[in-house]
Amino acid sequence: MTTWITVCDTCKRDDWNAETDTQTDGELLALAVEAAAAGSDVKTRRVSCLMGCSHSCNIAIQAPGKLAYTLGKFDASEEAAAGIVEYAEKHAASSSGQVPFREWPQTIKGHFITRHPPLPEAE
């Protein structure tokens, strides 16, 4: 099953300035995550709004039949993107989507907002 990193490309951090910033923080984070995921088994996609504005920049990590996570409060940096992709790769390798805390990249610790159980299988 494919693990997806969904990046909110409309996220704007509190100090974002429409007059001076040509791209949203979410767009910048999406570019960094896409670059970090190149050649990886995880897939990326962009969406306009994950409705986590008070936690921007937001991403979701999801795969069918696995726990899903929403993470936020990221800077749009290569370091953050590398940690996001590393965690997503560990999520992909896990049968349940749960990654032991000791395996979490340091750059994602403190960024978890929600965890969602997998949807039930159709009856």
Side-chain angles (χ1 to χ4, degrees), residues 9-106:
D9 63 6
T10 56
C11 277
K12 299 174 192 86
R13 296 184 53 85
D14 289 340
D15 60 351
W16 189 80
N17 184 330
E19 293 179 14
T20 59
D21 297 324
T22 59
Q23 293 180 293
T24 65
D25 297 302
E27 289 173 307
L28 296 172
L29 181 60
L31 288 169
V33 168
E34 291 160 354
S40 171
D41 288 336
V42 299
K43 304 267 187 208
T44 63
R45 66 180 180 158
R46 297 181 187 200
V47 297
S48 294
C49 199
L50 285 174
M51 296 184 76
C53 299
S54 63
H55 300 288
S56 64
C57 291
N58 295 288
I59 62 108
I61 296 178
Q62 307 161 285
K66 294 185 178 188
L67 292 166
Y69 298 91
T70 306
L71 294 84
K73 299 182 181 177
F74 285 106
D75 292 322
S77 69
E78 290 179 11
E79 182 180 25
I84 291 166
V85 171
E86 181 182 347
Y87 184 84
E89 291 171 334
K90 292 176 185 298
H91 180 274
S94 166
S95 62
S96 67
Q98 187 168 0
V99 178
F101 179 78
R102 68 184 173 280
E103 295 180 22
W104 293 8
Q106 187 63 39

